[in-house]
Every structure is written in C-alpha cells, then in structure tokens.
Amino acid sequence: MDLKDKVVIVTGGAQGIGAALCRRFATAGARGVVVADRNLELACTVAQEIDGTAMACDVAQEDEIGRVVEQTVETYGPVDLFCSNAGIFGPLGGLEATDAQWRAALDVNFMAHVYAARAVVPAMCRRGQGYLVQMASAAGLLTHVGAAPYSVTKHAAVAWAEWLALSYREQGLRVSCICPLGVRTEMLAEDAYLAPVIGPTALSADQVAKCTVEGVREERFLILPHAEVGQHFERKATQYDRWLRGMAQLKARLEEDSPPSNARC
Ligand SMILES: NC(=O)c1ccc[n+]([C@@H]2O[C@H](COP(=O)([O-])OP(=O)(O)OC[C@H]3O[C@@H](n4cnc5c(N)ncnc54)[C@H](O)[C@@H]3O)[C@@H](O)[C@H]2O)c1
C-alpha cells in the first residue's frame, strides 16, 4: 500500500514502537494519523509533533476502539490502515500466573486485535481495500522462554493475523504481522529475564517502524525486523524437537544465573 494521503490509526502510539510508527506513517505521507493510547498526555505530544490527532483509548475495551474508529471517520474519512500495536509484557512464569494476569494479557495482546478487526474490516471490504498491521512479537513465532502469558497471547495474535489475511484477501484486505525480537523501549527494560539474550541485538523503535513501512509498501505478511527470527522460525518448523531442546537449555541457563522470583517449581 502506498501510504500517501491515507488515514491511519495507531494504538499504543504514545511511546516506544507505536510513537515511531506514527512518525514514520506521517513522513510517508499519511493524510491523517490518529495516535490512540491509554496515556492521552503522551499521545498528545506525539500527535502535536506530526500534526495528527490524539485519542484516549484502552484497547482492552471494545467500545473504546469503536469510538476511536467512529471519531477518525468523522475527522478524516474512512480508515485506510489500522495499526494494532499496543501490548503488555505481563508476568514471568506460566503455572504461577493468575487468572487475572492471563486475562489482562489476552485482552490487550489478543482481543484488542479482534476488536480492531471487527471495527474496520467490514467497511474496508465494502470499499474493496484496507490494511491491518498487527503487532505480535518474535515470542509469537518462537516463544519467550520466561513468560507464558506473553508467548501464548502473541501466538494467538499471529494466528488471528494469518486467519484475517487469508479470509479477506479476495475482498481487498491486506494484513501485515510484525514479529520483532528486542526493541529498545520501556517494555524491553521491563524484561530483565531475557535482556541478556536479546539486549545486544536490540533495535531502535525507529528501525522497526522503518522496516514496517517498507513491509506495508510491499504488502508483505510477515515483517521481521531481525533477520535471525526468520532463521530460528525455519529451524523450529523443520527440526521441532531439536529446537525445543535448545530452548529448554537456554531457559535452564538463564534461570541458573538468576531464578525468577515467583517460580513455584
Ligand atoms: N520492546 C520490545 O522488545 C518488543 C519486542 C517485540 C514486540 N513488541 C511489541 O511491540 C508493541 C509495543 O511495545 P513497546 O516496546 O513500544 O512498549 P512500550 O511499553 O514502550 O509502549 C506500549 C504503549 O502501549 C500503550 N498501551 C499499553 N496497554 C494499553 C491499553 N490497554 N490500551 C491502550 N494503550 C495501551 C502504552 O501506554 C504505551 O504507550 C507491544 O505490542 C509489544 O508486545 C515489543
């Protein structure tokens, strides 16, 4: 998709990768960029910088996503591209995570993408064109060895993006799914567990945004800002048991150095 004159919504646009995406979409010529975030104050700062519009939105609430879409249509006209980027890291562990923590991760990292698609896909199909950019993570292809809720919900995000891409392709919908490894944002700072492994190859938020805009121009489904993720994904697909053994060794090594504080076993 050529981004010139397009109307774009970015969730989680107030900081980190989302803010970098807003800047890149604006530079690529988008006519209207809506910075949607639960942090309205920061969203306003980004919107001012790019001459866009800030909107308060908790992506875990379907009615709030619906309202952002309605207000965008009123302000700029039909939405051309919805970039569903907001996400949370959540707790370490798997068996130790509470129901509330699982639900929070599911709501923000997965259901928000479902709400976004419900809000924009029917109109996009009627117009015969539209684009969804969904943020997942390398953890959605390869698993974060320390954090089950993050891994599982990011896998769900990849599966949902895949399903949308093949279901509505004939009606003109295009979908991209972004799966970065480490990116230098507040979220990476939160992830002390994996930082020793992914920190050294971490990219800047702007590098990820640049790669995303290129992927959208080429209408590529899988956007992998770190090339090694593609190699690991291929290894997983062709040598699954070997890959699992390697990941188990990585987990054991990381936890030998610093066991997770909430580990039960
Ligand atoms: N940083 C990384 O290493 C990394 C790697 C792979 C994928 N990702 C993914 O990239 C996305 C952006 O992460 P980031 O690194 O920029 O994180 P970040 O914490 O810097 O920014 C996240 C943004 O999302 C917003 N947000 C969180 N929950 C929200 C909600 N319920 N409603 C609306 N806004 C909400 C926050 O206010 C913030 O502006 C996430 O989906 C994350 O999982 C990050």
Side-chain angles (χ1 to χ4, degrees):
M1 175 185 266
D2 179 2
L3 285 153
K4 191 154 171 34
D5 291 331
K6 296 296 190 292
V7 174
V8 175
I9 298 173
V10 181
T11 67
Q15 66 177 47
I17 302 170
L21 284 164
C22 289
R23 294 186 187 105
R24 282 277 169 183
F25 287 137
T27 309
R31 179 164 61 83
V33 177
V34 171
V35 187
D37 203 287
R38 63 179 176 188
N39 185 334
L40 184 59
E41 204 182 320
L42 271 185
C44 283
T45 310
V46 176
Q48 252 171 12
E49 194 192 313
I50 59 170
D51 203 15
T53 302
M55 293 188 195
C57 175
D58 175 357
V59 297
Q61 309 298 325
E62 183 164 19
D63 58 335
E64 295 197 19
I65 292 191
R67 192 173 36 73
V68 165
V69 170
E70 271 170 34
Q71 286 178 8
T72 302
V73 174
E74 276 166 27
T75 312
Y76 295 110
V79 179
D80 294 295
L81 185 150
F82 193 111
C83 176
S84 189
N85 159 77
I88 54 170
F89 182 59
L92 286 176
L95 303 181
E96 307 79 7
T98 64
D99 286 7
Q101 289 171 322
W102 274 102
R103 285 203 185 98
L106 269 169
D107 283 347
V108 181
N109 294 344
F110 172 58
M111 286 308 294
H113 300 314
V114 177
Y115 302 150
R118 280 186 190 147
V120 296
V121 170
M124 287 175 173
C125 289
R126 279 195 299 276
R127 295 172 68 216
Q129 61 176 46
Y131 213 115
L132 291 179
V133 174
Q134 236 186 241
M135 174 58 82
S137 164
L141 298 172
L142 301 169
T143 295
H144 182 302
V145 293
Y150 189 71
S151 298
V152 171
T153 55
K154 291 295 186 179
H155 272 74
V158 173
W160 174 241
E162 215 174 83
W163 187 86
L164 289 167
L166 63 90
S167 298
Y168 297 100
R169 188 175 173 82
E170 296 303 310
Q171 286 95 319
L173 184 75
R174 294 294 176 267
V175 181
S176 289
C177 181
I178 321 171
C179 294
L181 205 56
V183 187
R184 290 189 296 274
T185 66
E186 279 192 14
M187 187 176 287
L188 185 63
E190 231 183 283
D191 186 3
Y193 184 99
L194 213 55
V197 179
I198 63 174
T201 59
L203 299 177
S204 70
D206 184 56
Q207 283 172 302
V208 173
K210 181 169 182 275
C211 212
T212 302
V213 165
E214 283 164 10
V216 167
R217 274 207 190 102
E218 293 167 15
E219 302 191 347
R220 201 168 352 106
F221 176 74
L222 199 53
I223 297 179
L224 300 178
H226 303 74
E228 63 267 36
V229 173
Q231 292 149 14
H232 291 305
F233 188 40
E234 205 175 320
R235 205 163 305 142
K236 176 181 169 177
T238 53
Q239 305 175 57
Y240 217 138
D241 289 292
R242 188 166 169 212
W243 175 83
L244 276 173
R245 282 195 298 275
M247 292 294 268
Q249 281 162 8
L250 169 66
K251 184 174 172 67
R253 213 169 52 236
L254 287 168
E255 293 183 5
E256 202 177 77
D257 296 342
S258 57
S261 54
N262 58 352
R264 243 191 228 162
C265 39

